[in-house]
Amino acid sequence: MAIACVAVALIGRATSQFVPASPSTDPSLVINWNPITETWRNLKLAHENIVVFRSLLGISWMWFFGAVFLSLFPAFAKEVLHGNEQVASLLLVVFSIGIGIGSLLCEVLSKRHVEIGLVPLGAIGMSVFAIDLYFASRGLPPSASLGAADFIAKSAHWRVMADHRAALAFRGPLQRADVCA
């Protein structure tokens, strides 16, 4: 697997040499490499337009939300859902499906245009279903370590998976706004 990863990286690097050079649109542009001052300057600039600022908050919430979910899958699967590594992998699959569904739904709702009005809907939807995920997973009875098939077989876990997928489906509007920003 490591050899395949290195091979793909080398192929990507080699093919990037064929990308035509593009001149700078503003050669006099000076880049500030200090992340703190540059972040502060960008926040002040975004705050001048309230729609942009709110979208920035929604996009930040989306990335925070996704990072927390991804980093906690193994612990959540083991400690809360009483599952093994198969359940953690199942959560990753549900994560991917949720994001895909949300992105497709966003595409349909926005009619192939950037629709900033969907950003609050995405942030609120993610939060509501994450809260329901907490309540759905809180009442699960303790059990032995479950595999993916045993996990899916118990109807008590269906709500957990539905909340998990729905919370991530609401990332679609935020991801689309992030890509277009």
Side-chain angles (χ1 to χ4, degrees), residues 14-144:
T15 57
S16 72
Q17 296 302 312
F18 296 104
V19 174
S22 59
S24 174
T25 57
D26 185 5
S28 64
L29 180 67
V30 178
I31 296 175
N32 179 2
W33 292 101
N34 184 336
I36 296 170
T37 58
E38 192 61 22
T39 300
W40 185 252
R41 186 183 74 76
N42 284 327
L43 286 173
K44 284 175 33 179
L45 183 65
H47 195 57
E48 292 174 5
N49 185 337
I50 196 68
V51 173
V52 172
F53 186 70
R54 287 181 182 160
S55 295
L56 185 76
L57 288 176
I59 291 165
S60 298
W61 179 243
M62 175 203 63
W63 284 107
F64 169 75
F65 196 89
V68 168
F69 264 61
L70 279 174
S71 65
L72 292 178
F73 277 159
F76 183 67
K78 181 180 179 186
E79 303 298 328
V80 178
L81 301 178
H82 312 292
N84 60 14
E85 63 278 352
Q86 291 177 347
V87 174
S89 295
L90 176 66
L91 292 178
L92 285 171
V93 169
V94 172
F95 181 88
S96 300
I97 291 170
I99 290 174
I101 289 170
S103 296
L104 288 172
L105 186 61
C106 178
E107 186 71 14
V108 169
L109 291 175
S110 66
K111 295 180 178 73
R112 303 187 66 92
H113 291 84
V114 176
E115 180 57 58
I116 299 297
L118 292 175
V119 171
L121 174 69
I124 291 167
M126 283 177 13
S127 302
V128 166
F129 281 102
I131 291 167
D132 193 57
L133 175 63
Y134 165 76
F135 288 115
S137 61
R138 196 166 174 232
L140 296 176
S143 64

Side-chain angles (χ1 to χ4, degrees), residues 153-164:
K154 294 188 177 197
S155 61
H157 296 135
W158 296 352
R159 180 176 166 201
V160 170
M161 289 190 299
D163 282 339
H164 180 69

